Amino acid sequence: MITLVLTNRNRDLRIIKNCLQSLEQQSCADFELVLVDYGSDDDYKVLLEKLICEYPKVHYLDCPVQGQLWHKCRAINIALQQTTTPYFIVGDIDLIFAPTFIAIATILAKANEVHYFQYGFLSQEESLLNKDFNLYEVAFKGNDVVTGTALFQTSALKALHGYDEFYHGWGAEDTDIHIRMKNSGFKVFFYDQDILVKHQWHPKVYRSKESIHPFHSQLERINHAYMLQSEGTQRTVVNQNQDWGKLALSNEYDKLDQVDIVLQLKATLLEVNAVLAQMANFKNEVVAFEIKAVSGIEKIKNQVKKMIGKKYLPIYEMDTVNNLMLETIIKQYRNNPYSYQYNRNKKQLQFKMYFL
């Protein structure tokens, strides 16, 4: 038996409905379906949960992580930790599945193998139509680099501690798990005999300068470099120094409303580096961090002092502070309840964290 997990954040409900409908129509109904919502907006979730009620097969997991970086790996691992079926498929919420998908996956499932499936990408116009799976015309086929939907032996994936939770945002996590499976001696096969999954078109989500949602400007490039290092060092088991697949509990996130300490800082090298070190000293406390850019006048004064050889105060640009803070969270505190905002226009950063 197979468990199929889908992860979501604020995806178009029409796309989700098409996906769930295709899974409702499977010729083989002997599978479990888990949908993990990782931090969708509250008003959106009301509509999502109403939609899910139409599909009783869906086991819904809600993670109240609004104001956090997108973390697909943790969302997958949360489902993985609860899975008891012998096999586990990671899918995408923007796919529609052939009626025979589960039946074929069940035949392919073997203890020493990983299988992943070729994508057929639909055009924008085709995605808006309502057709049977086989009638959707594919605009172009994905190659074997597209690794998003894969079938694993559950126990083998758990033995490697699941997906590597260093990866946040988008990019490289799917390839990483395939590399680690190969390093562990598993054979990895690309299924391209037929198109069993078709990808619905949707606009790419770009972060505007007006957005206050957490965003690291170099994260995708860091993810790629990290993946190459994992490949070069023959990594297999990951997530060894922090819990993995940790469920986001509402009672812990509710504590963010009761702040114990407020730290108001300027974006200087001294204050920022000090607070990054100070974070290790907090325990069972909710800390609110408020960091603002150094004023233009102070920057000019410092520049003059530097030019004439006097002591000056090293200053960070706010984008640098933002990246440093997010990197620290990713590496050390990613399982802690937190809520993060960075306003680029106002040049200020605010976030709260419950230090467990």
Side-chain angles (χ1 to χ4, degrees), residues 67-283:
Q68 295 191 10
L69 286 165
W70 170 242
H71 198 182
K72 182 180 178 181
C73 292
R74 183 183 180 187
I76 292 169
N77 286 347
I78 286 170
L80 177 62
Q81 286 280 32
Q82 299 185 23
T83 295
T84 57
T85 60
Y87 293 94
F88 185 81
I89 295 177
V90 175
D92 283 330
I93 198 71
D94 48 16
L95 298 176
I96 52 175
F97 295 84
T100 57
F101 176 77
I102 293 295
I104 293 174
T106 301
I107 294 170
L108 293 173
K110 291 182 176 60
N112 62 341
E113 297 177 357
V114 174
H115 294 265
Y116 66 110
F117 300 88
Q118 186 174 36
Y119 278 22
F121 289 89
L122 305 181
S123 67
Q124 180 178 3
E125 295 75 18
E126 193 73 7
S127 295
L128 293 173
L129 302 176
N130 187 10
K131 295 182 177 181
D132 291 336
F133 179 88
N134 291 326
L135 297 179
Y136 279 107
E137 295 184 12
V138 172
F140 63 95
K141 296 179 181 180
N143 57 25
D144 59 1
V145 176
V146 181
T147 55
T149 297
L151 166 67
F152 305 94
Q153 182 187 13
T154 304
S155 60
L157 191 55
K158 287 183 176 180
L160 302 188
H161 292 183
Y163 278 59
D164 191 333
E165 293 188 18
F166 169 81
Y167 295 102
H168 285 62
W170 298 99
E173 74 281 346
D174 298 326
T175 303
D176 175 278
I177 187 59
H178 285 206
I179 291 170
R180 290 192 289 117
M181 280 289 177
K182 290 177 183 177
N183 290 345
S184 299
F186 284 78
K187 296 179 180 178
V188 178
F189 297 97
F190 179 52
Y191 184 92
D192 60 354
Q193 289 91 317
D194 297 294
I195 298 291
L196 298 180
V197 289
K198 294 180 180 178
H199 183 278
Q200 302 176 77
W201 181 92
H202 56 79
K204 290 185 178 180
V205 179
Y206 293 102
R207 182 183 183 276
S208 70
K209 290 186 177 181
E210 287 70 35
S211 173
I212 60 174
H213 292 299
F215 174 79
H216 187 299
S217 61
Q218 299 297 316
L219 193 52
E220 288 188 16
R221 298 177 69 184
I222 293 173
N223 283 348
H224 186 71
Y226 179 88
M227 180 199 72
L228 292 177
Q229 290 176 6
S230 293
E231 183 176 25
T233 56
Q234 296 290 296
R235 292 304 88 193
T236 55
V237 181
V238 294
N239 304 320
Q240 300 198 68
N241 297 317
Q242 298 186 57
D243 291 337
W244 61 276
K246 186 178 185 299
L247 190 62
L249 301 174
S250 295
N251 63 328
E252 291 183 349
Y253 279 79
D254 289 342
K255 292 182 183 293
L256 292 175
D257 294 329
Q258 302 170 352
V259 175
D260 298 302
I261 300 171
V262 177
L263 292 175
Q264 296 178 321
L265 311 167
K266 289 184 179 180
T268 68
L269 183 146
L270 305 182
E271 290 189 55
V272 171
N273 285 15
V275 82
L276 289 174
Q278 194 67 245
M279 289 168 76
N281 295 324
F282 299 122
K283 186 73 175 178

Side-chain angles (χ1 to χ4, degrees), residues 312-324:
Y312 66 97
L313 190 61
I315 294 171
Y316 280 136
E317 295 298 328
M318 281 303 297
D319 283 354
T320 301
V321 175
N322 173 65
N323 286 356
L324 285 171

